[in-house]
Amino acid sequence: MTEPVETHLKDYKRPDFNVETVELHADIFETETFVTASLGVRKSPEAADGVSLLLDGRELDLVSIELDGRVLTDGEYTLEGEVLTLPAAPDAFVLTTKVKIHPETNTSLEGLYFADGTFLTQCEAEGFRRITFFPDRPDVMGSYRCTVSADKGTYPVLLANGNLVDEGELSGGRHFATWEDPHKKPSYLFAMVAGDLACREDTFTTASGREVALKFYVDHQDADKCGHAIESLKKSMAWDEKTFGLEYDLDTYMVVATHSFNAGAMENKGLNVFNSKYVLAKPETATDMDFQGIEGVIGHEYFHNWTGNRVTLCNWFQLSLKEGLTVFRDQEFSSDMGSRAVKRIADVRGLRASQFAEDAGPMAHPIRPESYIEMNNFYTATVYNKGAEVIRMIHTFLGPEGFRKGMDLYVARHDGSAVACEDFIAAMEDASGVDLSRFRLWYSQAGTPKVTVTRAFDAETSRYTLTFSQKVPDTPGQANKKAMQIPVRMGLLGDDGAPVSLTLEGETSLGPLERVLSLSSDLESFTFTGVEKEPVPSLFRGFSAPINQVTDLTEAELIFLMAHDTDSFNRWDAAQQLYANTILGMVAELKKGEPLALSTDLVAAVQTTLTHPTLDKALIAQALTLPSETELGDRMAEIDVDGIHAAREFVADTLAVALKESWRSVYEACKEVGPYRPDTQSMAKRRLKGLCLSYLSRVESPAFVMDAFASAANMTDELAALTVLVGMDSPESDEAMDRFYGAWKGDTLVLDKWFTAQALSNRPGTLERVASLMEHPDFDIKNPNKVRALIGAFCQANPWHFHRLDGKGYDLLADTVIALNTINPSIAARMASGFNRWKRYDEKRQGLMKARLERIKGTENLANGVFEIVSKALA
Ligand code: TRP
Ligand code: ZN
């Protein structure tokens, strides 16, 4: 076996040859597929004399190869490993190859594959090389014309990117369709589909008056579940016109839904392919979260049409250029469609849970990584979500108008080309006049900066000083980092809760009530004048930077902020800090064998929030949701799995008992009448109702929750009740699981929820239950949604059971990784990262996890991606 090779950003060179035209013929049969590709190749004027053309190819069976119509003999090309070389290629020529591939047995879900009766493609990042020989890199851009042929009866729908230009019958019951994409694109945006799918259609008229046909292709049985996705697409199209002046550029926008997909969705030009989870929804089968997820992902893929497709990447190190920016755009879109504060809190919760952990582990990398072994491993929370935070900070420094000017300039300068993160930053600087030189460190330095804040009040001179010290932690391969430029959106609250004017020392006029401070060195102070009484600081409002804030705010001050901060996000964050301090304090007390007691002030604060007459109900629900066990663990030097579980349960039980009447009355008040609607207010009510139910389940009988389950009229309520019931050690629990299964056994997406609910249960024996569910006829290890729903949920979100001291949780994960290694290497690698934090646990658990990592590493034919994850974890 050859050691996997690492690819480095510093070695990047522009391509010697471009492929200007691609003419593809894919002839699909049940047991094999033939792909003929004619590539119009042109040598770059900068290329050296006599350079060879290199084409990537993976698992391709070469049938024939011709140059300008002449068959090449063995000596005229070489095929070694995954590279086909044409030595000393001419300046301009047509290269035609014919290959045989096997989509029908391709379980990697990359390249062309067959799943649930449909042939479809996934090319990002490096899947096109599984379809034909090609310089499979994003800086090679050409025009594509693609003809797909297949049996007409079995695969009546034949699609590819762009416009349908020809179709017709062939002999033997077959037919074909030819598609032409007028826009140049990199190979990773190529797509084709052959299947028997229903088509739901609608139209959108662009700002300039062009009518675009919207076509959603789904399984026939799902044709009634496309409405929300179609509405979301129309909203996305209108939003991008209004917010960024960006219009759609083809006459048709197609979306194909599949149950078998490695990721969420893919932005192929004019032909998105979606995980069905992000398309299909109706009130009986989808939760409010699903409805929101669909809106967000539909928006995300649509927004890629400009940020990713029209302006694309010169190499994969620049992935955040399209992903960070597009996540930022989809977050803004969702904020504008619903509640901005609620969206922000959800995003930050996610960032802290996954990205902060990644940044503190063996895979820590900057948003623009410097090297990779397997590109698929770098579709990370860092590149996506921290990348979006970096864009958001630019937005904060430039303001909305400056940012819009920067976007306009970026698109105008780079439309139709493949560029780098640096080009985006330069456009932002040039359009706004704001200097981002120090800010660029966010692209090259990994690790979550820690910002420690101290405060000093001088009553005599009415001066208030905030001192910030920052430290970017060492990460693998990176030590002694430089201070970052960090925006601090902040305010000061007087003791009546009223905001204080922020006049910086030396300023002559009264300052504003909120401002953005900019940190740019290790240690900095800001002094405000005219402050009569000691205020409470509200810092990093709206999570203005992706940092860990260390403050010495007291319980009383946090409770004060929870009640009075004018920034909704910071009200929520104060509550989270309060809970975390409380629970972690209890973990220490448990260690010492001391009895636990919950502060009455905290209980009163929760009561005030819960029964607040005017607060948004979704914000109330978020403010009363305790940090997860995983998040709490992240805040500990050595994660105490059992202590965290016990302390968190104690706090939840105590709040449930102490506020029983309030949980009950708010629960009743949130009950709705009338049909389900996925609007912001109704969703907020259902969310708070679900939270009340989970607290009530700690004090009420199982029959009470069973009643909620039985009377649920939509999936949001039904699943909220099921999730609570599954954790109750009672016959009702099993009965509910059986009833749910019986009702939904024909709907694979709903069954994913059934698997997840059981994986997240607190009940004893959950691990054994998960293991036996892996044998369930509806479980399928080849289906990534099933793997994520059952095993992913168990290993990532049920730490108390996963980290069992007998090591059986670890065995379950290791066995899964090893099984997936040959079936679907990219999902295997993703699952393997479940061991990444192993060094954060006690010695016993460390030993158990290390042994499993070594077992995986010793597996024969280990995929590069899995190798990369486990070898970095063990390093
Ligand atoms: N570009 C896709 C997105 O974020 C992500 C994606 C889809 C992907 N399919 C993939 C990434 C397969 C890696 C592998 O919109
Ligand atoms: Zn994306």
Side-chain angles (χ1 to χ4, degrees), residues 267 300-301 304 323 384:
E267 69 265 25
H300 181 96
E301 306 313 328
H304 267 315
E323 296 304 345
Y384 276 65

Side-chain angles (χ1 to χ4, degrees), residues 406-464:
M407 277 290 287
D408 290 351
L409 183 61
Y410 171 66
V411 169
R413 268 186 189 168
H414 302 297
D415 187 14
S417 52
V419 300
C421 295
E422 175 52 34
D423 296 300
F424 179 81
I425 308 168
M428 285 287 153
E429 276 182 325
D430 294 348
S432 69
V434 174
D435 175 10
L436 295 171
S437 33
R438 177 166 290 272
F439 187 82
R440 281 171 171 75
L441 288 170
W442 283 104
Y443 284 83
S444 57
Q445 292 192 154
T448 307
K450 185 163 109 182
V451 180
T452 306
V453 191
T454 54
R455 47 215 169 114
F457 178 58
D458 185 342
E460 250 156 63
T461 60
S462 308
R463 287 150 55 99
Y464 186 72

Side-chain angles (χ1 to χ4, degrees), residues 66 402 518:
E66 294 174 10
S518 172

